[in-house]
Amino acid sequence: MAHPSQLGFQDAASPIMEELLHFHDHALMAVFLISTLVLYIITVMMTTKLTNTNAMDAQEIEMVWTIMPAIILIVIALPSLRILYLMDEINDPHLTVKAIGHQWYWSYEYTNYDDLVFDSYMTPTQSLNPGEFRLLEVDNRMVVPMESPIRMLISAEDVLHSWAMPSMGIKTDAIPGRLNQTTFIASRPGIFYGQCSEICGANHSFMPIVVETTPLEHFQSWSSSMQE
């Protein structure tokens, strides 16, 4: 999860987030190169007294500063389109979880099971155990198996919400009357934290999201205990 004074993203916990981090570094390098070139040109123009009258009407220069931005846009756009298609690709999910936003808590329904439905409320500060995070811990975590394709169906019951899990690279709006879909694969076991990312009323800041990824055997034990 994020920590104080952190400048970068959280560590990736899914292949999609790893792709997003690589694309961020790729795009940032292009921004640095453009910024350096522009700063160099401005510095040269302000410090030198020499001018060239041929530069006022040079077709070659105009071609360069027209074609180069187009090439840069293509270099940035192609990886971006690839990631967009990867994020929309859903192939044979092993588990489907429906997340429904309420004011101000989440409810989860495991559609592959007959009776596995629960609500997830934020744990009050006075009820926290040592080591738990204030405003981020919940009473019932969403538990999923690691290294398995998980399909999320996201909706809302009352107002707009947004189911966001930064370390998974997920941010999907929860809209009343509409069912949005996304997918992820947890690449390692752990506990990952997120929050509602759409202003949804007075207690918008108090509906966190906690996803716990476990090996398949532990998930099967958990699902059996939840159905008893």
Side-chain angles (χ1 to χ4, degrees):
M1 62 174 293
H3 56 79
S5 72
Q6 179 175 335
L7 298 179
F9 291 98
Q10 298 183 28
D11 292 337
S14 69
I16 287 296
M17 190 57 190
E18 291 178 5
E19 293 284 348
L20 291 172
L21 290 177
H22 290 318
F23 175 71
H24 170 265
D25 296 340
H26 169 74
L28 203 60
M29 185 57 63
V31 171
F32 282 152
L33 292 175
I34 294 171
S35 302
T36 303
L37 177 61
V38 172
L39 181 62
Y40 170 75
I41 293 174
I42 291 175
T43 303
V44 170
M45 291 180 63
M46 293 182 65
T47 56
T48 182
K49 296 181 180 180
L50 300 177
T51 57
N52 189 343
T53 56
N54 294 328
M56 299 300 178
D57 186 23
Q59 297 296 324
E60 295 80 5
I61 295 179
E62 292 185 5
M63 289 181 61
V64 169
W65 70 42
T66 301
I67 295 175
M68 283 298 294
I71 295 175
I72 293 172
L73 288 176
I74 293 173
V75 169
I76 294 176
L78 290 180
S80 174
L81 291 173
R82 174 178 171 273
I83 296 175
L84 284 175
Y85 279 104
L86 287 175
M87 294 177 71
D88 284 338
E89 191 73 21
I90 299 178
N91 289 321
D92 190 24
H94 295 175
L95 180 68
T96 299
V97 183
K98 183 189 295 182
I100 301 177
H102 308 266
Q103 287 182 314
W104 288 270
Y105 64 96
W106 294 95
S107 61
Y108 297 99
E109 176 183 343
Y110 289 69
T111 59
N112 301 79
Y113 296 84
D114 293 332
D115 188 23
L116 185 48
V117 181
F118 57 87
D119 296 330
S120 179
Y121 290 86
M122 185 192 74
T123 303
T125 303
Q126 61 271 18
S127 302
L128 290 174
N129 296 319
E132 293 183 340
F133 298 102
R134 176 178 172 269
L135 302 182
L136 287 177
E137 196 57 64
V138 296
D139 55 356
N140 291 308
R141 297 168 176 169
M142 187 186 105
V143 181
V144 295
M146 58 177 285
E147 297 179 344
S148 298
I150 309 298
R151 175 171 58 187
M152 293 295 303
L153 301 177
I154 299 169
S155 185
E157 188 182 62
D158 35 44
V159 298
L160 292 176
H161 299 278
S162 183
W163 200 86
M165 184 58 57
S167 56
M168 299 286 185
I170 297 177
K171 185 180 184 297
T172 303
D173 288 340
I175 304 173
R178 177 169 179 167
L179 205 60
N180 288 330
Q181 179 176 256
T182 188
T183 184
F184 69 91
I185 300 175
S187 55
R188 55 188 170 89
I191 300 174
F192 307 100
Y193 296 90
Q195 289 179 301
C196 176
S197 296
E198 190 74 46
I199 296 177
C200 55
N203 291 333
H204 158 67
S205 301
F206 307 108
M207 50 183 303
I209 303 162
V210 182
V211 175
E212 182 176 352
T213 59
T214 65
L216 182 59
E217 310 80 54
H218 295 172
F219 171 77
Q220 290 174 335
S221 301
W222 172 84
S223 60
S224 299
S225 64
M226 290 292 289
Q227 290 180 300
E228 292 176 355

